[in-house]
PDB file of all heavy atoms in Angstrom:
ATOM      1  N   VAL A  18      63.752   9.447  -8.792  1.00  0.00           N
ATOM      2  CA  VAL A  18      64.388   8.167  -9.113  1.00  0.00           C
ATOM      3  C   VAL A  18      63.332   7.069  -9.217  1.00  0.00           C
ATOM      4  O   VAL A  18      63.335   6.266 -10.160  1.00  0.00           O
ATOM      5  CB  VAL A  18      65.458   7.806  -8.050  1.00  0.00           C
ATOM      6  CG1 VAL A  18      65.930   6.378  -8.205  1.00  0.00           C
ATOM      7  CG2 VAL A  18      66.630   8.765  -8.144  1.00  0.00           C
ATOM      8  N   ARG A  19      62.403   7.035  -8.262  1.00  0.00           N
ATOM      9  CA  ARG A  19      61.337   6.022  -8.300  1.00  0.00           C
ATOM     10  C   ARG A  19      60.470   6.182  -9.545  1.00  0.00           C
ATOM     11  O   ARG A  19      60.094   5.197 -10.184  1.00  0.00           O
ATOM     12  CB  ARG A  19      60.478   6.112  -7.037  1.00  0.00           C
ATOM     13  CG  ARG A  19      61.125   5.493  -5.815  1.00  0.00           C
ATOM     14  CD  ARG A  19      60.122   5.307  -4.676  1.00  0.00           C
ATOM     15  NE  ARG A  19      59.430   6.539  -4.298  1.00  0.00           N
ATOM     16  CZ  ARG A  19      59.911   7.437  -3.434  1.00  0.00           C
ATOM     17  NH1 ARG A  19      61.085   7.245  -2.876  1.00  0.00           N
ATOM     18  NH2 ARG A  19      59.226   8.513  -3.149  1.00  0.00           N
ATOM     19  N   ALA A  20      60.163   7.414  -9.896  1.00  0.00           N
ATOM     20  CA  ALA A  20      59.325   7.657 -11.083  1.00  0.00           C
ATOM     21  C   ALA A  20      60.038   7.193 -12.353  1.00  0.00           C
ATOM     22  O   ALA A  20      59.420   6.594 -13.240  1.00  0.00           O
ATOM     23  CB  ALA A  20      58.976   9.140 -11.180  1.00  0.00           C
ATOM     24  N   ARG A  21      61.337   7.465 -12.454  1.00  0.00           N
ATOM     25  CA  ARG A  21      62.092   7.014 -13.636  1.00  0.00           C
ATOM     26  C   ARG A  21      62.156   5.497 -13.709  1.00  0.00           C
ATOM     27  O   ARG A  21      62.033   4.914 -14.786  1.00  0.00           O
ATOM     28  CB  ARG A  21      63.497   7.620 -13.642  1.00  0.00           C
ATOM     29  CG  ARG A  21      63.489   9.037 -14.201  1.00  0.00           C
ATOM     30  CD  ARG A  21      64.878   9.556 -14.409  1.00  0.00           C
ATOM     31  NE  ARG A  21      65.230  10.310 -13.211  1.00  0.00           N
ATOM     32  CZ  ARG A  21      66.415  10.342 -12.654  1.00  0.00           C
ATOM     33  NH1 ARG A  21      67.390   9.654 -13.159  1.00  0.00           N
ATOM     34  NH2 ARG A  21      66.632  11.067 -11.583  1.00  0.00           N
ATOM     35  N   LYS A  22      62.342   4.840 -12.569  1.00  0.00           N
ATOM     36  CA  LYS A  22      62.372   3.371 -12.554  1.00  0.00           C
ATOM     37  C   LYS A  22      61.014   2.805 -12.957  1.00  0.00           C
ATOM     38  O   LYS A  22      60.932   1.823 -13.696  1.00  0.00           O
ATOM     39  CB  LYS A  22      62.787   2.854 -11.181  1.00  0.00           C
ATOM     40  CG  LYS A  22      64.263   2.980 -10.915  1.00  0.00           C
ATOM     41  CD  LYS A  22      64.631   2.400  -9.568  1.00  0.00           C
ATOM     42  CE  LYS A  22      66.118   2.562  -9.309  1.00  0.00           C
ATOM     43  NZ  LYS A  22      66.521   2.043  -8.007  1.00  0.00           N
ATOM     44  N   ALA A  23      59.936   3.406 -12.458  1.00  0.00           N
ATOM     45  CA  ALA A  23      58.595   2.950 -12.811  1.00  0.00           C
ATOM     46  C   ALA A  23      58.355   3.121 -14.311  1.00  0.00           C
ATOM     47  O   ALA A  23      57.799   2.235 -14.969  1.00  0.00           O
ATOM     48  CB  ALA A  23      57.540   3.716 -12.013  1.00  0.00           C
ATOM     49  N   TRP A  24      58.769   4.245 -14.857  1.00  0.00           N
ATOM     50  CA  TRP A  24      58.609   4.475 -16.300  1.00  0.00           C
ATOM     51  C   TRP A  24      59.403   3.447 -17.097  1.00  0.00           C
ATOM     52  O   TRP A  24      58.905   2.892 -18.079  1.00  0.00           O
ATOM     53  CB  TRP A  24      59.074   5.887 -16.664  1.00  0.00           C
ATOM     54  CG  TRP A  24      58.875   6.181 -18.110  1.00  0.00           C
ATOM     55  CD1 TRP A  24      57.765   6.716 -18.695  1.00  0.00           C
ATOM     56  CD2 TRP A  24      59.807   5.935 -19.163  1.00  0.00           C
ATOM     57  NE1 TRP A  24      57.951   6.820 -20.047  1.00  0.00           N
ATOM     58  CE2 TRP A  24      59.195   6.338 -20.369  1.00  0.00           C
ATOM     59  CE3 TRP A  24      61.091   5.412 -19.208  1.00  0.00           C
ATOM     60  CZ2 TRP A  24      59.837   6.233 -21.597  1.00  0.00           C
ATOM     61  CZ3 TRP A  24      61.718   5.302 -20.438  1.00  0.00           C
ATOM     62  CH2 TRP A  24      61.103   5.718 -21.611  1.00  0.00           C
ATOM     63  N   ALA A  25      60.636   3.168 -16.680  1.00  0.00           N
ATOM     64  CA  ALA A  25      61.469   2.194 -17.387  1.00  0.00           C
ATOM     65  C   ALA A  25      60.847   0.801 -17.325  1.00  0.00           C
ATOM     66  O   ALA A  25      60.919   0.034 -18.292  1.00  0.00           O
ATOM     67  CB  ALA A  25      62.874   2.175 -16.805  1.00  0.00           C
ATOM     68  N   THR A  26      60.207   0.466 -16.205  1.00  0.00           N
ATOM     69  CA  THR A  26      59.532  -0.833 -16.076  1.00  0.00           C
ATOM     70  C   THR A  26      58.332  -0.918 -17.023  1.00  0.00           C
ATOM     71  O   THR A  26      58.087  -1.953 -17.639  1.00  0.00           O
ATOM     72  CB  THR A  26      59.064  -1.045 -14.621  1.00  0.00           C
ATOM     73  OG1 THR A  26      60.203  -0.942 -13.769  1.00  0.00           O
ATOM     74  CG2 THR A  26      58.416  -2.398 -14.437  1.00  0.00           C
ATOM     75  N   GLU A  27      57.606   0.193 -17.162  1.00  0.00           N
ATOM     76  CA  GLU A  27      56.441   0.225 -18.056  1.00  0.00           C
ATOM     77  C   GLU A  27      56.829   0.302 -19.530  1.00  0.00           C
ATOM     78  O   GLU A  27      56.008   0.001 -20.394  1.00  0.00           O
ATOM     79  CB  GLU A  27      55.551   1.418 -17.709  1.00  0.00           C
ATOM     80  CG  GLU A  27      54.895   1.320 -16.355  1.00  0.00           C
ATOM     81  CD  GLU A  27      54.204   2.603 -15.955  1.00  0.00           C
ATOM     82  OE1 GLU A  27      54.044   3.502 -16.821  1.00  0.00           O
ATOM     83  OE2 GLU A  27      53.821   2.724 -14.783  1.00  0.00           O
ATOM     84  N   ASN A  28      58.038   0.719 -19.841  1.00  0.00           N
ATOM     85  CA  ASN A  28      58.489   0.884 -21.226  1.00  0.00           C
ATOM     86  C   ASN A  28      59.788   0.119 -21.460  1.00  0.00           C
ATOM     87  O   ASN A  28      60.816   0.716 -21.800  1.00  0.00           O
ATOM     88  CB  ASN A  28      58.704   2.373 -21.532  1.00  0.00           C
ATOM     89  CG  ASN A  28      57.439   3.173 -21.365  1.00  0.00           C
ATOM     90  OD1 ASN A  28      56.590   3.170 -22.227  1.00  0.00           O
ATOM     91  ND2 ASN A  28      57.296   3.838 -20.225  1.00  0.00           N
ATOM     92  N   PRO A  29      59.768  -1.204 -21.324  1.00  0.00           N
ATOM     93  CA  PRO A  29      61.021  -1.971 -21.394  1.00  0.00           C
ATOM     94  C   PRO A  29      61.687  -1.960 -22.772  1.00  0.00           C
ATOM     95  O   PRO A  29      62.893  -2.137 -22.870  1.00  0.00           O
ATOM     96  CB  PRO A  29      60.591  -3.383 -21.007  1.00  0.00           C
ATOM     97  CG  PRO A  29      59.150  -3.446 -21.333  1.00  0.00           C
ATOM     98  CD  PRO A  29      58.614  -2.051 -21.118  1.00  0.00           C
ATOM     99  N   GLU A  30      60.939  -1.718 -23.818  1.00  0.00           N
ATOM    100  CA  GLU A  30      61.498  -1.757 -25.179  1.00  0.00           C
ATOM    101  C   GLU A  30      61.983  -0.391 -25.655  1.00  0.00           C
ATOM    102  O   GLU A  30      62.470  -0.272 -26.777  1.00  0.00           O
ATOM    103  CB  GLU A  30      60.436  -2.289 -26.153  1.00  0.00           C
ATOM    104  CG  GLU A  30      60.039  -3.724 -25.881  1.00  0.00           C
ATOM    105  CD  GLU A  30      61.188  -4.673 -26.149  1.00  0.00           C
ATOM    106  OE1 GLU A  30      61.859  -4.510 -27.182  1.00  0.00           O
ATOM    107  OE2 GLU A  30      61.425  -5.567 -25.311  1.00  0.00           O
ATOM    108  N   TYR A  31      61.858   0.646 -24.842  1.00  0.00           N
ATOM    109  CA  TYR A  31      62.170   2.004 -25.290  1.00  0.00           C
ATOM    110  C   TYR A  31      63.596   2.131 -25.809  1.00  0.00           C
ATOM    111  O   TYR A  31      63.826   2.632 -26.906  1.00  0.00           O
ATOM    112  CB  TYR A  31      61.925   3.017 -24.168  1.00  0.00           C
ATOM    113  CG  TYR A  31      62.358   4.406 -24.553  1.00  0.00           C
ATOM    114  CD1 TYR A  31      61.542   5.200 -25.332  1.00  0.00           C
ATOM    115  CD2 TYR A  31      63.609   4.909 -24.166  1.00  0.00           C
ATOM    116  CE1 TYR A  31      61.945   6.478 -25.718  1.00  0.00           C
ATOM    117  CE2 TYR A  31      64.014   6.172 -24.556  1.00  0.00           C
ATOM    118  CZ  TYR A  31      63.180   6.947 -25.317  1.00  0.00           C
ATOM    119  OH  TYR A  31      63.591   8.200 -25.707  1.00  0.00           O
ATOM    120  N   TRP A  32      64.571   1.716 -25.021  1.00  0.00           N
ATOM    121  CA  TRP A  32      65.967   1.932 -25.409  1.00  0.00           C
ATOM    122  C   TRP A  32      66.355   1.091 -26.613  1.00  0.00           C
ATOM    123  O   TRP A  32      67.138   1.516 -27.451  1.00  0.00           O
ATOM    124  CB  TRP A  32      66.902   1.672 -24.225  1.00  0.00           C
ATOM    125  CG  TRP A  32      66.772   2.762 -23.216  1.00  0.00           C
ATOM    126  CD1 TRP A  32      66.240   2.673 -21.968  1.00  0.00           C
ATOM    127  CD2 TRP A  32      67.134   4.141 -23.393  1.00  0.00           C
ATOM    128  NE1 TRP A  32      66.260   3.901 -21.350  1.00  0.00           N
ATOM    129  CE2 TRP A  32      66.801   4.817 -22.206  1.00  0.00           C
ATOM    130  CE3 TRP A  32      67.695   4.862 -24.438  1.00  0.00           C
ATOM    131  CZ2 TRP A  32      67.010   6.176 -22.034  1.00  0.00           C
ATOM    132  CZ3 TRP A  32      67.916   6.220 -24.257  1.00  0.00           C
ATOM    133  CH2 TRP A  32      67.569   6.862 -23.072  1.00  0.00           C
ATOM    134  N   LYS A  33      65.789  -0.104 -26.742  1.00  0.00           N
ATOM    135  CA  LYS A  33      66.057  -0.924 -27.926  1.00  0.00           C
ATOM    136  C   LYS A  33      65.519  -0.219 -29.175  1.00  0.00           C
ATOM    137  O   LYS A  33      66.202  -0.110 -30.192  1.00  0.00           O
ATOM    138  CB  LYS A  33      65.425  -2.306 -27.782  1.00  0.00           C
ATOM    139  CG  LYS A  33      65.735  -3.216 -28.959  1.00  0.00           C
ATOM    140  CD  LYS A  33      65.069  -4.551 -28.797  1.00  0.00           C
ATOM    141  CE  LYS A  33      65.372  -5.526 -29.904  1.00  0.00           C
ATOM    142  NZ  LYS A  33      65.700  -5.007 -31.191  1.00  0.00           N
ATOM    143  N   ARG A  34      64.274   0.286 -29.087  1.00  0.00           N
ATOM    144  CA  ARG A  34      63.695   1.030 -30.211  1.00  0.00           C
ATOM    145  C   ARG A  34      64.516   2.280 -30.514  1.00  0.00           C
ATOM    146  O   ARG A  34      64.771   2.612 -31.667  1.00  0.00           O
ATOM    147  CB  ARG A  34      62.258   1.439 -29.883  1.00  0.00           C
ATOM    148  CG  ARG A  34      61.208   0.498 -30.368  1.00  0.00           C
ATOM    149  CD  ARG A  34      59.794   1.075 -30.338  1.00  0.00           C
ATOM    150  NE  ARG A  34      59.514   2.093 -29.337  1.00  0.00           N
ATOM    151  CZ  ARG A  34      59.132   1.842 -28.087  1.00  0.00           C
ATOM    152  NH1 ARG A  34      58.997   0.598 -27.667  1.00  0.00           N
ATOM    153  NH2 ARG A  34      58.889   2.834 -27.257  1.00  0.00           N
ATOM    154  N   TYR A  35      64.931   2.982 -29.459  1.00  0.00           N
ATOM    155  CA  TYR A  35      65.717   4.207 -29.631  1.00  0.00           C
ATOM    156  C   TYR A  35      67.016   3.911 -30.372  1.00  0.00           C
ATOM    157  O   TYR A  35      67.389   4.610 -31.306  1.00  0.00           O
ATOM    158  CB  TYR A  35      66.014   4.826 -28.260  1.00  0.00           C
ATOM    159  CG  TYR A  35      66.855   6.075 -28.326  1.00  0.00           C
ATOM    160  CD1 TYR A  35      66.274   7.310 -28.541  1.00  0.00           C
ATOM    161  CD2 TYR A  35      68.243   6.002 -28.180  1.00  0.00           C
ATOM    162  CE1 TYR A  35      67.039   8.463 -28.610  1.00  0.00           C
ATOM    163  CE2 TYR A  35      69.016   7.144 -28.249  1.00  0.00           C
ATOM    164  CZ  TYR A  35      68.413   8.370 -28.463  1.00  0.00           C
ATOM    165  OH  TYR A  35      69.180   9.496 -28.543  1.00  0.00           O
ATOM    166  N   ARG A  36      67.715   2.849 -29.948  1.00  0.00           N
ATOM    167  CA  ARG A  36      68.976   2.486 -30.610  1.00  0.00           C
ATOM    168  C   ARG A  36      68.739   2.099 -32.065  1.00  0.00           C
ATOM    169  O   ARG A  36      69.508   2.469 -32.951  1.00  0.00           O
ATOM    170  CB  ARG A  36      69.671   1.363 -29.851  1.00  0.00           C
ATOM    171  CG  ARG A  36      70.349   1.830 -28.581  1.00  0.00           C
ATOM    172  CD  ARG A  36      71.217   0.744 -27.982  1.00  0.00           C
ATOM    173  NE  ARG A  36      70.471  -0.448 -27.619  1.00  0.00           N
ATOM    174  CZ  ARG A  36      69.869  -0.624 -26.459  1.00  0.00           C
ATOM    175  NH1 ARG A  36      69.927   0.324 -25.537  1.00  0.00           N
ATOM    176  NH2 ARG A  36      69.210  -1.743 -26.199  1.00  0.00           N
ATOM    177  N   ASP A  37      67.672   1.342 -32.313  1.00  0.00           N
ATOM    178  CA  ASP A  37      67.361   0.939 -33.688  1.00  0.00           C
ATOM    179  C   ASP A  37      67.055   2.146 -34.569  1.00  0.00           C
ATOM    180  O   ASP A  37      67.498   2.222 -35.717  1.00  0.00           O
ATOM    181  CB  ASP A  37      66.176  -0.032 -33.711  1.00  0.00           C
ATOM    182  CG  ASP A  37      66.518  -1.377 -33.101  1.00  0.00           C
ATOM    183  OD1 ASP A  37      67.729  -1.669 -32.935  1.00  0.00           O
ATOM    184  OD2 ASP A  37      65.584  -2.132 -32.773  1.00  0.00           O
ATOM    185  N   GLU A  38      66.296   3.097 -34.033  1.00  0.00           N
ATOM    186  CA  GLU A  38      65.920   4.282 -34.807  1.00  0.00           C
ATOM    187  C   GLU A  38      67.104   5.222 -35.033  1.00  0.00           C
ATOM    188  O   GLU A  38      67.104   5.996 -35.985  1.00  0.00           O
ATOM    189  CB  GLU A  38      64.796   5.033 -34.102  1.00  0.00           C
ATOM    190  CG  GLU A  38      63.483   4.287 -34.118  1.00  0.00           C
ATOM    191  CD  GLU A  38      62.446   4.909 -33.198  1.00  0.00           C
ATOM    192  OE1 GLU A  38      62.750   5.966 -32.574  1.00  0.00           O
ATOM    193  OE2 GLU A  38      61.350   4.345 -33.088  1.00  0.00           O
ATOM    194  N   ASN A  39      68.103   5.155 -34.175  1.00  0.00           N
ATOM    195  CA  ASN A  39      69.253   6.043 -34.296  1.00  0.00           C
ATOM    196  C   ASN A  39      70.503   5.319 -34.787  1.00  0.00           C
ATOM    197  O   ASN A  39      71.613   5.781 -34.565  1.00  0.00           O
ATOM    198  CB  ASN A  39      69.529   6.733 -32.958  1.00  0.00           C
ATOM    199  CG  ASN A  39      68.417   7.691 -32.607  1.00  0.00           C
ATOM    200  OD1 ASN A  39      68.315   8.754 -33.188  1.00  0.00           O
ATOM    201  ND2 ASN A  39      67.536   7.294 -31.709  1.00  0.00           N
ATOM    202  N   GLN A  40      70.331   4.214 -35.451  1.00  0.00           N
ATOM    203  CA  GLN A  40      71.463   3.442 -35.974  1.00  0.00           C
ATOM    204  C   GLN A  40      72.287   4.268 -36.963  1.00  0.00           C
ATOM    205  O   GLN A  40      73.500   4.164 -36.994  1.00  0.00           O
ATOM    206  CB  GLN A  40      70.947   2.164 -36.649  1.00  0.00           C
ATOM    207  CG  GLN A  40      72.037   1.247 -37.154  1.00  0.00           C
ATOM    208  CD  GLN A  40      72.891   0.681 -36.031  1.00  0.00           C
ATOM    209  OE1 GLN A  40      72.400   0.403 -34.948  1.00  0.00           O
ATOM    210  NE2 GLN A  40      74.162   0.516 -36.271  1.00  0.00           N
ATOM    211  N   ARG A  41      71.627   5.103 -37.745  1.00  0.00           N
ATOM    212  CA  ARG A  41      72.339   5.937 -38.716  1.00  0.00           C
ATOM    213  C   ARG A  41      73.362   6.825 -38.018  1.00  0.00           C
ATOM    214  O   ARG A  41      74.506   6.943 -38.460  1.00  0.00           O
ATOM    215  CB  ARG A  41      71.344   6.788 -39.503  1.00  0.00           C
ATOM    216  CG  ARG A  41      71.992   7.710 -40.506  1.00  0.00           C
ATOM    217  CD  ARG A  41      70.943   8.526 -41.269  1.00  0.00           C
ATOM    218  NE  ARG A  41      71.592   9.468 -42.139  1.00  0.00           N
ATOM    219  CZ  ARG A  41      71.971  10.690 -41.774  1.00  0.00           C
ATOM    220  NH1 ARG A  41      71.774  11.104 -40.542  1.00  0.00           N
ATOM    221  NH2 ARG A  41      72.555  11.501 -42.631  1.00  0.00           N
TER     222      ARG A  41
END
């Protein structure tokens, strides 16, 4: 859980990019 939170903190734009790339 701590590792996932740390990764999410280091990659704050990931989910926005993911949603944009998968809009289709």
Side-chain angles (χ1 to χ4, degrees):
V18 169
R19 283 193 305 275
R21 278 189 265 143
K22 284 182 181 179
W24 182 89
T26 303
E27 293 171 12
N28 300 281
E30 295 293 316
Y31 175 81
W32 288 111
K33 183 181 182 333
R34 266 194 332 274
Y35 178 85
R36 284 190 299 273
D37 291 344
E38 291 169 2
N39 293 286
Q40 183 65 35
R41 178 180 175 273

